[in-house]
Amino acid sequence: MTTPTMTNEPWRWTIAETAEKLRAKEISAVELTQAHLDRIRAVDGAVHAFLRVTADEALAEAKAADERLARGQDLTPLTGIPLALKDVLVTEGITTTAGSRFLEHFVPPYSATVVKRLRAAGAISLGKLNMDEFAMGSSTENSAYGPTHNPWDLDRVPGGSSGGSAAAVAAGEAMGTLGSDTGGSIRQPAALTNTVGLKTTYGRVSRYGLIAFASSLDQIGPFTRTARDCALLLQHIAGYDPNDSTSADVSVPDYAAQLTGDIKGLKIGIPKEYFVEGTEPGVVKVVEEAIATLKTLGAEFIDISLPHTKYGLPAYYIIAPAEASANLARYDGVKYGLSLRAEAADLEDAYMRTRQAGFGPEVRRRIMLGTYALSSGYYDAYYKRAEQVRTLIRRDFDAAFAQCDVIISPTSPTVAFKLGARVDDPYAMYLSDLFTIPANLAGICGVSFQGGFSEGLPVGVQLLGKPFDEGTILRAADAFQRVTDYHTRWPNLAAAAKPKGATKAKKAGGKK
Amino acid sequence: MTATTKAPAETDYEIVIGLEVHTQLLTQSKMFCPCDAHYADDAPNSHVCMVCMGMPGVLPVINQRAVEYTIMTGLALHCEIPELSKFDRKNYFYPDLPKGYQISQYDLPFCRNGWLEIPVDGSVKRIGITRAHLEEDTGRLLHRTDPATGEAYSLVDLNRAGIPLLEIVSEPDMRSPEEARLYMQKLRSILVYLGVSSGRMEEGSLRCDANISVRPRGQKEFGTKTEIKNMNSFRSVQRALEYEAERQIQVLREGGRIVQETRGWVEAKGVTVSQRTKEEANDYRYFPEPDLPPVVLSRAWIDEIRAKMPELPDAKRARFMSEYGLSEYDATVLTDERAVADYFEATVRDVTKGDLASRAKSAANWITGDLARLLNAAGSDITQCKITPAGLAGLINALDSGTISGKQAKDILERAFASGDQPTEIIQREGIAQVSDAGTLEAVANQVIAANPKAVEDYRKGKAAAVQFLIGQVMRQTKGSAKPDVIQPILVRLLDALKE
């Protein structure tokens, strides 16, 4: 599966090495961007990671980046690097749908803080990426615009909800992408697609301009192929934002500088509650091998307990839908987005018709769940209790981190499953996030990186870190990548790829 | 339903009223976004941004000044200010609510357990304040009918959406519609004093909803209440509650039951009408606002706010009585509005003649008398008055020094009020001065004596009133520019000379 890095295939390069080549003028940002647009044209018909490719804008940005590179001023490691954005991040003048029919024609009048920060760093946006509608799902099958396919097996899901963000990086359609993680929506798809996905500490990255699913859980984070690239992206999106009152005024360290390769004496906790029946043996095996590898690098392992883990999933499925039921109330057909009021009998009828037509079944299910949980007479039994569970889970982690520096586990209990396999079984789908949800409830950071393969499919290893200690989990992942080659392996998309010059990928070049 | 006489109702039944008052806060910007909060009559949707329009992805940021105003109000109302407070979401669908929820406060409001005092039957009555909390105002719907098709539709104006709104909830401590009105007036006075509210009920920046029930006198339990809305003046608060109390008593007397419901006051018809029953009431599904961290209110900040608070109406009234020797009536009238009180004190400072009490008395007389009458007739208030306190003081000084007569003073005040010229300018420019020249006055007095033999005769017979008549005639001849106390000795001297 390993392919040597070829100069005519710059989409195979890492961000770190590309930044060097751009500065050395071995390639221009325009050439680099064009190479990615070509790659998208070749493979995205099969993968469907993109909802919208903004080729013209990308090339214009690339031209500006080249000028910046020529001046040699204000350069960052992201200057000229082609990235792409989950369609839950609003982009001024560029249609942003959140994977929903409701926002099919919604052109935001402003850009998210992270989008502005990436632009300021000189990064290029190739377009908007597919996702489960309003980030609700674990397979990207809940997108109103059709599912994304896992580049490692096109019959399988890429995970979700940031499936497009994961698949684009895995297929070489972008050097890095941004996703959002509410209960595992970055880490689980990263695990299923052989990419690195980082869920940042709650408050580390501004949520301003992230279309909200569950405000107290949502966090934006990067997808890349290496831990080092992840650190480079994190560097430019992290930090306090006066427009987000929940963003933390905590200084941003030099993340790349922390990737020393040295993890001697790093204390890694193994939580017994994350190694239980129900996880595929192939997944357990990969995680055990990763533990062995990290041990050879000098990490120390201790057994720990996170006793309230099993209550995480039910608590999450109260809190997240409750917040979503309010966050999605603005989609009422009055101001923007879909509106069926013209054919409605009265105001209530207009609301009902619009929301029935605009939202898919999973979104409607969660709105109903959340509305029920907050209703008079049920609040104490559901929402309040779930918040109490959340406090217990937070304390579990506080206690664990008194004993160890990071916590290791599988990211997902299974490898990528077949498209359609769990569509009719929401509970089975919800179980995909069993190991990722607690980090969101506790607000801590977590990374999923490439641990190996099971039956030819990628397996992710999750490292959970203390609040605002992204540097340490990335250091461990980077140390692992220095002695393994799983992250350098590529899916074989040769059969799926269209030859150059073939018909344009259907979404390519589309804007608005 | 016809209104019956009030007397029997008041004897058999006790009225119980609690008020929920909303006031917009006078901040520069909106509650959770930087939009200019002064929208007044500006074009619809001209004071809006991503945040107050509820665009996808936006987040609120708390307006600290609004929190400060809320705490200041809480302190003025003797409330407890907790160390930890938070915002909550109140969920309901309506086109004037862009997010589909209102950011409000549920179980941890900024202010709790306070009170204010109102005058009742010559003493004071304390009305409990349950809580005061901060929230955001909604937009406005403009209902229209298409003239061509006759079809009704509504337009949404979001200029008002997101204006900071303070809700002050009283205990059910009021026992008459009059007490409710007095509470409302007192509360308004405090809010305006603090500078946190314009206090304009007619513009809707200050609004009042009432919960009202009646119960047979002596019964402990409250009766079933109704909620009354749409009361846009102090007068309508009292009228609406008088009507509603009467209606409820009538229903009970006829053996009926009160339905818990929301009723709207229809000013033109003088009635309340049912709007919504309890069964139709919303379940607001409150839960903590996850986009805003809890608010920690440091004691140091509370002390800072307390130190910034101006003197409040009750304290000012007491001081006006003790410091200026004003009557309770004058002190009450002058302190009802902070602007009037400030105007009064500025005027007193510039009046030169007499001791403080007499200076204060003359300033009070002019302000509560002639000036109030002019303002009233013009439908304006003291903040719009063109005569400055210094100008009014100048008028009083000219009068006190005998430069002008009382009649001239009133005339000058009216002209100054209308023109915007200060009274002293008018006096100087027109050379208006009282005729106090003895020679001129004597000539006029002689004419008057000659023309009124009957009065002269009466004077001779010892009728003192005759002198007053003759003084009046002299004043008429001099068009008021002569002062009676100057005319009198001259007249008396001339008349007595005739007698001899």
Side-chain angles (χ1 to χ4, degrees), chain A residues 22 91 126 171 173 198 243 321 326 352 360 384 387 491 494 500:
Chain A
L22 282 166
T91 41
L126 296 165
E173 297 177 82
L198 175 69
N243 287 326
M352 306 254 270
K384 199 171 163 191
E387 282 292 339
K500 211 172 174 182

Side-chain angles (χ1 to χ4, degrees), chain B residues 108-387:
Chain B
L108 288 176
F110 284 123
C111 317
R112 273 190 306 221
N113 302 330
W115 48 266
L116 63 68
E117 287 176 336
I118 56 171
V120 174
D121 299 334
S123 64
V124 290
K125 177 171 176 178
R126 193 170 278 194
I127 307 295
I129 306 284
T130 314
R131 57 184 280 157
H133 71 254
L134 190 52
E135 59 191 24
E136 54 180 338
D137 208 344
T138 61
R140 273 189 298 198
L141 292 189
L142 308 167
H143 301 290
R144 297 271 189 276
T145 306
D146 188 321
T149 62
E151 199 180 359
Y153 63 96
S154 301
L155 298 171
V156 184
D157 175 12
L158 295 179
N159 282 351
R160 196 179 73 176
I163 298 291
L165 200 60
L166 177 62
E167 177 172 337
I168 301 159
V169 183
S170 85
E171 290 288 304
D173 286 349
M174 286 154 272
R175 292 292 174 269
S176 72
E178 190 193 6
E179 286 183 20
R181 176 179 55 78
L182 288 167
Y183 167 88
M184 200 54 206
Q185 284 171 326
K186 185 60 169 286
L187 184 55
R188 176 190 180 275
S189 172
I190 291 170
L191 293 169
V192 175
Y193 258 73
L194 293 172
V196 304
S197 168
S198 74
R200 301 210 175 104
M201 283 191 86
E202 67 287 359
E203 287 174 13
S205 71
L206 181 68
R207 301 163 218 161
C208 172
D209 299 333
N211 285 304
I212 177 169
S213 63
V214 299
R215 60 184 169 190
R217 239 166 237 293
Q219 179 182 303
K220 268 192 179 169
E221 302 77 39
F222 289 137
T224 302
K225 68 181 177 185
T226 58
E227 186 179 4
I228 312 300
K229 291 182 176 289
N230 297 343
M231 299 173 290
N232 300 324
S233 67
F234 296 126
R235 185 166 163 271
S236 66
V237 168
Q238 185 163 347
R239 278 182 70 206
L241 295 176
E242 278 167 358
Y243 172 87
E244 178 62 14
E246 209 49 55
R247 186 191 70 84
Q248 291 188 10
I249 291 165
Q250 186 86 354
V251 169
L252 294 178
R253 281 203 178 130
E254 287 166 2
R257 278 179 53 239
I258 304 298
V259 179
Q260 189 173 336
E261 62 184 351
T262 300
R263 298 178 69 86
W265 169 245
V266 183
E267 183 81 39
K269 294 184 184 163
V271 297
T272 64
V273 295
S274 181
Q275 289 183 327
R276 194 173 64 193
T277 65
K278 190 192 175 192
E279 286 67 38
E280 297 167 63
N282 274 309
D283 174 359
Y284 292 120
R285 307 188 312 278
Y286 282 98
F287 75 101
E289 168 55 274
D291 286 331
L292 295 170
V295 182
V296 179
L297 303 162
S298 80
R299 296 302 99 176
W301 192 43
I302 307 285
D303 290 342
E304 230 174 85
I305 294 170
R306 197 191 304 272
K308 274 196 263 182
M309 282 172 60
E311 186 181 34
L312 292 170
D314 283 351
K316 203 178 279 279
R317 192 185 61 221
R319 181 170 63 81
F320 276 20
M321 290 166 69
S322 64
E323 187 178 327
Y324 298 111
L326 292 177
S327 68
E328 183 171 2
Y329 175 80
D330 278 350
T332 304
V333 172
L334 287 171
T335 55
D336 184 41
E337 300 266 358
R338 183 177 166 185
V340 174
D342 290 346
Y343 191 98
F344 163 77
E345 292 204 273
T347 304
V348 172
R349 266 196 298 279
D350 283 349
V351 174
T352 49
K353 198 178 168 190
D355 60 7
L356 184 61
S358 70
R359 277 154 44 207
K361 183 63 190 161
S362 57
N365 286 347
W366 280 99
I367 293 168
T368 61
D370 290 87
L371 191 60
R373 182 174 49 74
L374 290 169
L375 287 167
N376 219 10
S380 69
D381 64 50
I382 201 128
T383 59
Q384 297 159 294
C385 182
K386 293 176 200 153
I387 301 172

Side-chain angles (χ1 to χ4, degrees), chain A residues 168-180:
Chain A
V169 171
E173 297 177 82
M175 303 198 115
T177 58
L178 292 188
S180 64

Side-chain angles (χ1 to χ4, degrees), chain B residues 321-500:
Chain B
M321 290 166 69
S322 64
E323 187 178 327
Y324 298 111
L326 292 177
S327 68
E328 183 171 2
Y329 175 80
D330 278 350
T332 304
V333 172
L334 287 171
T335 55
D336 184 41
E337 300 266 358
R338 183 177 166 185
V340 174
D342 290 346
Y343 191 98
F344 163 77
E345 292 204 273
T347 304
V348 172
R349 266 196 298 279
D350 283 349
V351 174
T352 49
K353 198 178 168 190
D355 60 7
L356 184 61
S358 70
R359 277 154 44 207
K361 183 63 190 161
S362 57
N365 286 347
W366 280 99
I367 293 168
T368 61
D370 290 87
L371 191 60
R373 182 174 49 74
L374 290 169
L375 287 167
N376 219 10
S380 69
D381 64 50
I382 201 128
T383 59
Q384 297 159 294
C385 182
K386 293 176 200 153
I387 301 172
T388 64
L392 179 61
L395 185 76
I396 295 170
N397 290 338
L399 182 63
D400 285 349
S401 67
T403 310
I404 56 170
S405 69
K407 184 166 182 315
Q408 282 175 312
K410 284 173 194 278
D411 178 54
I412 292 165
L413 185 81
E414 274 183 38
R415 288 166 56 200
F417 185 85
S419 69
D421 294 334
Q422 294 307 315
T424 39
E425 288 168 11
I426 295 175
I427 292 168
Q428 273 177 13
R429 187 175 63 224
E430 301 185 7
I432 300 172
Q434 175 155 270
V435 180
S436 51
D437 169 51
T440 312
L441 277 182
E442 205 169 305
V444 177
N446 275 322
Q447 284 174 28
V448 167
I449 288 168
N452 295 281
K454 173 94 172 47
V456 174
E457 186 57 33
D458 285 349
Y459 177 77
R460 279 209 188 114
K461 287 177 184 161
K463 280 192 185 168
V467 179
Q468 295 307 317
F469 171 78
L470 291 167
I471 291 173
Q473 293 304 306
V474 174
M475 286 177 73
R476 183 191 273 181
Q477 293 277 324
T478 57
K479 297 197 171 68
S481 67
K483 265 181 127 183
D485 57 348
V486 179
I487 302 168
Q488 186 173 22
I490 294 171
L491 262 177
V492 169
R493 183 165 50 78
L494 292 172
L495 287 168
D496 288 349
L498 278 177
K499 262 199 282 189
E500 285 156 17

Side-chain angles (χ1 to χ4, degrees), chain A residues 334-377:
Chain A
V334 173
K335 308 165 289 285
Y336 47 73
L338 185 75
S339 182
L340 299 184
R341 64 173 183 260
E343 55 206 69
D346 55 28
L347 180 63
E348 193 175 310
D349 188 38
Y351 285 146
M352 306 254 270
R353 281 171 187 263
T354 301
R355 288 168 67 82
Q356 178 75 26
F359 294 139
E362 182 62 25
V363 172
R364 292 203 300 273
R365 179 181 297 125
R366 296 206 198 185
I367 290 173
M368 282 189 282
L369 264 175
T371 303
Y372 182 85
L374 291 173
S375 295
S376 170

